[in-house]
Amino acid sequence: MSAGHGHGHGVSAAADRKLLSGALALIVGFMIAEVIVGFAAGSLALVTDAAHMLTDAIAIALALLAIRLAAKPPAGGFTYGFKRVEILSAQANGITLLLLAVYFVYEAVSRMIDPPEVKGALVLITGVVGIVVNLFATWLISKANRSSLNVEGAFQHILNDLFAFIATAIAGLVVLLTGFARADAIAAFVVAVLMLKAGVSLVRDSGRIFLEAAPIAIDPQALGAELCAVEGVVEVHDLHVWEITSGEPAASAHILVAEGLDCHQIRVRIEEVLAERHHLTHSTLQVDHATESQSSEHCSDSHGTVHRAITGAGPAPDPASPHH
């Protein structure tokens, strides 16, 4: 049994707390002002924008919390520490986005049918200021470590907010120049659609991690065949690839090698393939010789596909070889 561990689990801990805190303060301050102005102007678009910024603020705050928790060493039953706290918060943020989006779609449709009076000048001014604020917040977060699902999610949300505030500013200008109050509801609808898109993405990505699905960039079937191509490997089964948290893939497998070969040397070659080609630096491999008893004992109840090396065509090429 061997564990090839590349303990680089501090992805979230490497994010710059100062940058995230600055973006959080900026967003929260403007969000409060926007809610006040939104109600004063009778603008659903502004209130919708503020709700979207609230989810951004929650994402950043939880990212900061996750950074702090992830820095704690594993203890007790939490053998990976608290690294999945960020995934919990990302999923909660995504679900919140979806629920708010549905509500604002309903409100936008209602206002399309019966538009209230909207003060276009206030909407326009707030929209323009919102564009400036979001540009600065986007710049701050872009300098942080975006390998965290929360940090990247907040970054994408703020980018969406830029489009939302552009739509809001245009709506305010239309209302100011033409008196067409439904423009505000149309802008709110645009923001709600952006919220739906971001929410679906967050829920999907966090859900894959909770279900321990393989990272999107890794095909377990192709990986199994690739490991079988390592010279000396006879069979690969019980191959599992998952993510501990965003940006931290892990793998485990049972490897059977031909009798008489050095199991440890082959394990090292397999670990090199996993690390160099797939960034899988956290791997746990059980390597045994492929005796008849081993095969019958382990393969009859293996999880997933049993990968076997191609025989009859000479030695299989070694993916770890520089000439391959």
Side-chain angles (χ1 to χ4, degrees), residues 93-171:
N93 189 34
I95 292 172
T96 302
L97 275 172
L98 294 177
L99 294 176
L100 286 173
V102 170
Y103 171 74
F104 286 124
V105 166
Y106 170 78
E107 284 293 321
V109 171
S110 299
R111 288 190 172 217
M112 286 289 291
I113 297 172
D114 184 20
E117 181 182 353
V118 177
K119 297 177 181 178
L122 282 176
V123 176
L124 174 60
I125 293 171
T126 307
V128 171
V129 175
I131 292 172
V132 175
V133 169
N134 273 266
L135 280 171
F136 188 51
T138 300
W139 176 77
L140 284 173
I141 296 182
S142 70
K143 293 169 68 65
N145 188 331
R146 288 165 49 198
S147 61
S148 163
L149 187 59
N150 267 328
V151 176
E152 177 63 18
F155 178 77
Q156 294 298 331
H157 287 182
I158 293 174
L159 281 181
N160 284 337
D161 274 342
L162 278 175
F163 295 106
F165 276 110
I166 291 171
T168 299
I170 292 173

Side-chain angles (χ1 to χ4, degrees), residues 111 114-121 170-186:
R111 288 190 172 217
D114 184 20
E117 181 182 353
V118 177
K119 297 177 181 178
I170 292 173
L173 182 62
V174 170
V175 173
L176 180 63
L177 297 179
T178 69
F180 181 61
R182 287 185 174 87
D184 181 76
I186 293 173

Side-chain angles (χ1 to χ4, degrees), residues 227-237 254-259 261 266 270 288-291 295 306-311 316:
L227 297 184
C228 278
V230 174
E231 187 174 359
V233 173
V234 174
E235 182 178 298
V236 176
H237 58 267
H254 189 191
I255 312 292
L256 299 183
V257 304
E259 287 192 87
L261 298 182
I266 293 175
I270 291 174
D288 296 302
H289 287 116
T291 63
S295 180
V306 176
H307 305 273
R308 292 188 173 90
I310 299 174
T311 58

Side-chain angles (χ1 to χ4, degrees), residues 18-110:
K18 187 175 180 181
L19 289 169
L20 292 176
S21 298
L24 178 61
L26 191 65
I27 288 172
V28 170
F30 183 75
M31 178 191 68
I32 294 172
E34 189 177 21
V35 170
I36 295 171
V37 175
F39 281 110
S43 170
L44 178 63
L46 288 181
V47 176
T48 307
D49 280 336
H52 197 182
M53 293 191 80
L54 174 62
T55 62
D56 295 343
I58 292 173
I60 297 174
L62 290 174
L64 287 167
L65 175 62
I67 290 171
R68 185 174 297 277
L69 290 176
K72 292 185 175 182
F78 296 93
T79 56
Y80 283 124
F82 296 90
K83 297 184 179 300
R84 283 197 175 175
V85 169
E86 70 149 338
I87 308 304
L88 280 170
S89 64
Q91 189 162 79
N93 189 34
I95 292 172
T96 302
L97 275 172
L98 294 177
L99 294 176
L100 286 173
V102 170
Y103 171 74
F104 286 124
V105 166
Y106 170 78
E107 284 293 321
V109 171
S110 299

Side-chain angles (χ1 to χ4, degrees), residues 215 218 241-251 278-283:
I218 299 177
V241 187
W242 70 99
E243 286 185 280
I244 299 169
T245 186
S246 55
E248 292 189 26
H278 303 285
H279 306 291
L280 283 163
T281 56
H282 191 293
S283 59

